[in-house]
Amino acid sequence: MKYNFLDSHAINTIHDEELINHFRDGIGHKVLILTPSYPFMFIGEIISVIEDSVEVFVETTQFSQLENRIWFIHIDSIEVFYIERPGEPRIPELNDMM
């Protein structure tokens, strides 16, 4: 079977566009984002999506000095995420865990 690079490219483009749309649909909702590089975790509200970056007002991260500010996170650098939606499980407050 011959590998068709054009089909793969089209699939990746569709995937990227739908991921961006998924974040765009999450504007105004709380999000948990994990990245492979520092800082590794962000919890906050999605403010907007600009091209392929998500703008988040970060309420919680590993270091309090980085909290309560706006971060722009490139969607390609996100390894794991969860967008809180009505009727779905909530993202717990970190102090709820203690």
Side-chain angles (χ1 to χ4, degrees):
M1 179 175 204
K2 186 175 179 180
Y3 181 75
N4 188 337
F5 176 76
L6 294 177
D7 289 343
S8 173
H9 181 71
I11 290 169
N12 287 336
T13 300
I14 292 168
H15 171 269
D16 292 348
E17 288 173 7
E18 289 307 312
L19 194 55
I20 290 167
N21 288 334
H22 188 69
F23 276 96
R24 189 171 285 120
D25 291 342
I27 291 173
H29 294 278
K30 192 170 186 177
V31 66
L32 164 74
I33 295 175
L34 301 177
T35 64
S37 57
Y38 176 84
F40 307 106
M41 179 195 70
F42 303 90
I43 299 174
E45 182 181 332
I46 299 174
I47 298 172
S48 71
V49 175
I50 301 168
E51 295 184 14
D52 59 353
S53 293
V54 60
E55 181 182 14
V56 178
F57 180 78
V58 175
E59 301 163 359
T60 307
T61 190
Q62 295 98 308
F63 303 99
S64 61
Q65 298 87 340
L66 305 177
E67 296 175 347
N68 299 313
R69 42 186 99 237
I70 294 174
W71 284 79
F72 290 89
I73 305 164
H74 193 264
I75 291 173
D76 286 346
S77 70
I78 297 172
E79 290 287 325
V80 176
F81 71 92
Y82 176 75
I83 300 173
E84 190 177 275
R85 308 275 185 180
E88 298 294 325
R90 290 183 54 242
I91 298 169
E93 300 293 327
L94 290 183
N95 58 4
D96 289 348
M97 309 290 279
M98 296 182 183

